[in-house]
Amino acid sequence: AARGKRAALLGLTFKPNTDDMRDSPALAIAQTLLDAGVLVAAYDPEGMEQARPLLAQVTMCGDAYEAIEGADVVVIVTEW
């Protein structure tokens, strides 16, 4: 079961080097993981502030290494 597992989500914005959250696949991925009881930690170099209100249950991390620390799975949703 996924409940209680930890997922790192790298990449939150619709496209790299922007803070555009419109149609970002990360939103649906994060929600699916959360609905399954997975703890989600995320990092994006540009979109953290824009993503924060949309992903209130996601732990926003200071860098990619912090996000993946202790993760059971890493979900890469970015070109960077």
Side-chain angles (χ1 to χ4, degrees):
R3 185 160 303 281
K5 297 291 185 182
R6 179 179 163 102
L9 186 59
L10 301 181
L12 297 172
T13 59
F14 174 63
K15 54 187 178 179
N17 303 315
T18 73
D19 61 4
D20 189 353
M21 291 298 298
R22 292 172 298 165
D23 301 319
S24 169
L27 296 175
I29 292 168
Q31 193 58 56
T32 300
L33 291 167
L34 292 166
D35 289 347
V38 176
L39 305 171
V40 181
Y43 175 72
D44 187 290
E46 302 291 334
M48 301 285 281
E49 290 307 311
Q50 291 70 22
R52 197 177 310 274
L54 302 173
L55 298 168
Q57 294 177 293
V58 172
T59 301
M60 298 296 172
C61 298
D63 60 37
Y65 296 104
E66 181 185 342
I68 65 173
E69 188 174 332
D72 295 293
V73 65
V74 177
V75 183
I76 301 172
V77 195
T78 184
E79 294 175 18
W80 56 261

